[in-house]
Amino acid sequence: MRWAALARPGARTLRPAQVACLDAAWAERVEAPGPWGPRGVVGLVGCGHGKTLVAQLAPLLLGAERPILLLPAALVTLALLIRGALMNAAG
């Protein structure tokens, strides 16, 4: 699947690691779902390479009804800002 339309706030393209994670999540959903839905993806992504955005986009991509994002308390504000930017962009 092409992810050109999905971008981090203020940018036009996703980073290669983000594309790889979203591709893996989509393939898991389509090709090998578990009995309760997709099993998930482990993405070995370094600091500053866009894990928070992937964590926000993947539930939208997969149609999750109640996604859960576990992260350190210091990153909650950043995650909420990114979520707000995505919701505003979605209209």
Side-chain angles (χ1 to χ4, degrees):
M1 181 170 226
R2 305 294 292 179
W3 309 109
L6 302 175
R8 59 192 155 97
R12 294 181 185 253
T13 60
L14 291 169
R15 296 172 180 175
Q18 292 170 318
V19 171
C21 287
L22 291 173
D23 278 342
W26 185 257
E28 174 68 26
R29 177 182 182 260
V30 173
E31 298 169 8
W36 298 281
R39 294 177 294 200
V41 173
V42 174
L44 303 176
V45 182
C47 292
H49 290 273
K51 294 181 294 293
T52 303
L53 181 59
V54 170
Q56 299 284 344
L57 289 175
L60 298 173
L61 172 71
L62 300 174
E65 293 178 15
R66 291 180 299 272
I68 297 173
L69 176 59
L70 303 175
L71 49 99
L75 295 178
V76 170
T77 301
L78 173 64
L80 291 173
L81 288 172
I82 291 173
R83 179 74 174 171
L86 287 174
M87 294 299 104
N88 288 339

